[in-house]
Amino acid sequence: MNRRTFLVSAAAVAATRPGTAAADDASSILARIKAPVFPSRDFDVTKYGADGDGKKLSTGAISQAIAACSAAGGGRVVVPKGEFLTGAVHLKSNVNLHIEKDATLRFSRDPNLPVVYARFEGTECMNYSPFLYAFEQTNIAITGPGTLDGQADCEHWWPWKGRTDCGWKRGDPSYQQDDQALISMGDRNIPVSQRVFGEGHYLRPNFIQPYRCRNLLIEDVTIVNSPMWEINPVLCRNVTVRGVKIATFGPNNDGCDPEASTDVLIEDCTFETGDDCIAIKSGRNRDGRRVGAACENIIIRDCMMKDGHGGVSLGSEGSGGIHNVFVDNCRMDSPHLQRALRLKTNSFRGGSYENVYFTNITVGQVAEAVIEVDFFYPEYANREGRGGGFQPMVKNVVVEHVTSQTSKRALYLRGYAKAPVSGVRIAHCSFDNVTQDDVIENVKDLVLDDVKRNGKEMTR
């Protein structure tokens, strides 16, 4: 079998999903995912007045080029060689924003951004526009090989997190008061139109957030220095993220976070991040349940994960559910990568996490556990996520053909007594140089088949 085939064994499939075939499921998902195709016409932003000296704002010129391209029936809006400074850019249907080689699109550090319908960490609100944003558009792309630079650092955007190691000082404003206010609004079903943040508030914008869009392509760009999450398609369908390089180490700098989206392919990407490399999400707490959209049918393959909290994480904002996730043929390796596969939730977020396949993964080193399922992720109301009243559900997790060279633990699996983690199968795996005992609490039907830790067969 070649590298494009998911090697989930028949035994694993039978154990977790009787009567179905996981490989067939992955193939059917891939058959539906098709990158958009654009007419062969270019709209060079310099012809609309954009300036490549990196000093003059080119927001208006880029917007004019996008409008002209869309009105003409589509094509490429081209950012040529040079450094172009811009504010928020809003994409329209049938437009491919193409950043050429040796071109850099730098985003202004001025927080005076327009307010748009967005999600901040899984709760809908009116907030600062993401740097690259699209709302209810079809057939859109952001392609390289150029660079997108958010220009965030410990003097701009990142201090709003409230970390003393990144520009924040006691007495300075931070996002926490706004974040708690937003969560409260979601819990009280305040209409989204009344959840207004933006200027005077401290909820940082995401870098790329297509919202309720169809047929997306993000390909071959390098992304650096984001204020917040890097790529965050929300409520989207048919998404391809391919050949992207992300290197940004600020707080909450997740690499790619498909959220409440369906049919998503992430392949051949490299991640070095200040948070999760990839985090699959579906809304937070009551607001996520109100929207009620799962994130499902996600293919992740042939990626490299370096620094980050997790190589591939599910949650923690998974209240709408996360289903049918296939991770295959990835490499994960860094002393600053905390975990390889991580499922995180709590009793406030709840959510069902089902049918997760983590196969053919080579792990060099991770700082914590290779595989983690944790129902005790912190919440403002309780640092162990207790007392929320919404029992999470995790079942049908396959970990197969995974090797690791160095970690604190092989497994860290913690469910609730009344809601155990269920149906985890780990097969044909080898975890070497493990320094501490595994944690396995409230786990039902755990199967270990040909699994070695430090050269010895693992048993319950």
Side-chain angles (χ1 to χ4, degrees):
M1 293 186 180
N2 62 37
R3 74 189 190 107
R4 295 300 187 192
T5 302
F6 287 82
L7 303 180
V8 182
S9 74
V13 171
T16 59
R17 304 182 68 189
T20 68
D24 288 345
D25 289 347
S27 297
S28 64
I29 293 167
L30 285 168
R32 291 194 300 271
I33 299 173
K34 299 183 186 302
V37 177
F38 300 90
S40 298
R41 60 171 73 96
D42 286 351
F43 297 77
D44 187 322
V45 297
T46 61
K47 294 182 179 179
Y48 293 83
D51 194 329
D53 66 359
K55 298 177 182 179
K56 177 184 174 183
L57 268 176
S58 296
T59 313
I62 294 170
S63 296
Q64 288 177 39
I66 289 171
C69 179
S70 183
R76 296 195 315 174
V77 170
V78 177
V79 179
K81 180 179 178 180
E83 296 187 0
F84 295 82
L85 181 65
T86 184
V89 172
H90 292 185
L91 297 176
K92 294 182 179 294
S93 293
N94 304 312
V95 172
N96 173 6
L97 179 64
H98 181 72
I99 319 298
E100 289 195 332
K101 183 180 179 182
D102 299 322
T104 299
L105 194 58
R106 299 191 191 281
F107 289 83
S108 172
R109 289 165 163 167
D110 184 354
N112 186 24
L113 293 167
V115 170
V116 300
Y117 197 113
R119 259 190 184 183
F120 181 85
E121 292 191 335
T123 303
E124 293 192 319
C125 61
M126 308 300 297
N127 193 33
Y128 295 107
S129 173
F131 288 167
L132 288 164
Y133 177 74
F135 186 76
E136 296 183 343
Q137 304 297 304
T138 301
N139 300 331
I140 58 175
I142 302 165
T143 61
T147 298
L148 303 171
D149 184 355
Q151 297 202 99
D153 58 22
C154 286
E155 294 181 2
H156 308 90
W157 298 115
W158 293 347
W160 292 6
K161 171 66 175 179
R163 280 188 0 190
T164 55
D165 63 346
C166 195
W168 181 83
K169 302 180 294 299
R170 191 169 299 279
D172 288 349
S174 74
Y175 89 112
Q176 292 187 6
Q177 183 174 347
D178 288 328
D179 190 32
Q180 292 184 56
L182 175 58
I183 293 168
S184 175
M185 290 176 181
D187 288 343
R188 291 180 289 126
N189 280 339
I190 300 297
V192 177
S193 62
Q194 297 176 25
R195 307 175 193 177
V196 182
F197 292 85
E199 185 176 2
H201 297 275
Y202 299 92
L203 302 182
R204 290 163 290 155
N206 294 345
F207 205 131
I208 302 173
Q209 189 181 75
Y211 210 106
R212 298 182 193 161
C213 294
R214 290 186 295 114
N215 307 340
L216 315 178
L217 173 65
I218 302 173
E219 184 173 42
D220 292 339
V221 291
T222 295
I223 305 173
V224 296
N225 305 323
S226 176
M228 190 56 188
W229 298 351
E230 315 280 334
I231 301 173
N232 178 216
V234 180
L235 293 162
C236 293
R237 182 179 293 273
N238 187 27
V239 178
T240 300
V241 179
R242 177 186 296 129
V244 172
K245 298 179 177 62
I246 293 177
T248 181
F249 303 99
N252 306 115
N253 274 172
D254 294 18
C256 184
D257 290 9
E259 183 169 3
S261 293
T262 301
D263 292 346
V264 179
L265 171 63
I266 305 169
E267 65 178 351
D268 297 315
C269 296
T270 300
F271 299 94
E272 296 180 82
T273 66
D275 208 302
D276 293 318
C277 295
I278 295 174
I280 302 166
K281 300 178 180 291
S282 63
R284 181 170 183 167
N285 298 8
R286 184 168 183 170
D287 201 59
R289 290 184 285 273
R290 174 188 65 82
V291 175
C295 200
E296 56 191 6
N297 304 338
I298 314 297
I299 306 287
I300 300 164
R301 62 186 184 185
D302 306 322
C303 291
M304 176 69 195
M305 289 79 169
K306 299 179 182 179
D307 295 2
H309 291 183
V312 174
S313 294
L314 281 65
S316 61
E317 299 88 1
S319 302
I322 300 171
H323 311 141
N324 308 331
V325 177
F326 299 83
V327 185
D328 187 72
N329 199 46
C330 293
R331 177 166 175 77
M332 306 181 181
D333 184 14
S334 171
H336 305 295
L337 180 64
Q338 294 180 8
R339 307 154 188 91
L341 175 66
R342 185 186 193 192
L343 284 68
K344 48 182 175 175
T345 182
N346 62 35
S347 62
F348 294 85
R349 308 194 182 184
S352 62
Y353 296 33
E354 299 181 68
N355 309 328
V356 179
Y357 298 89
F358 193 71
T359 58
N360 309 303
I361 309 297
T362 302
V363 179
Q365 59 180 321
V366 293
E368 298 293 334
V370 180
I371 309 298
E372 176 178 292
V373 180
D374 186 9
F375 285 10
F376 297 88
Y377 190 78
E379 188 77 21
Y380 279 124
N382 188 297
R383 293 302 297 170
E384 287 195 338
R386 299 177 185 270
F390 295 91
Q391 304 285 35
M393 180 177 69
V394 170
K395 66 179 183 179
N396 299 345
V397 177
V398 172
V399 177
E400 193 169 82
H401 297 292
V402 174
T403 63
S404 67
Q405 295 303 311
T406 303
S407 66
K408 182 182 290 185
R409 293 183 172 92
L411 308 178
Y412 185 96
L413 311 176
R414 294 183 71 202
Y416 297 148
K418 294 183 179 180
V421 175
S422 178
V424 175
R425 177 183 174 85
I426 303 175
H428 314 301
C429 295
S430 176
F431 307 107
D432 293 324
N433 297 306
V434 179
T435 61
Q436 295 187 18
D437 291 339
D438 295 332
V439 172
I440 302 175
E441 300 175 4
N442 298 315
V443 178
K444 179 182 177 182
D445 300 327
L446 173 64
V447 174
L448 300 174
D449 177 13
D450 183 30
V451 180
K452 293 181 172 60
R453 180 179 56 219
N454 297 339
K456 298 181 179 179
E457 196 79 19
M458 285 181 64
T459 60
R460 281 297 305 268

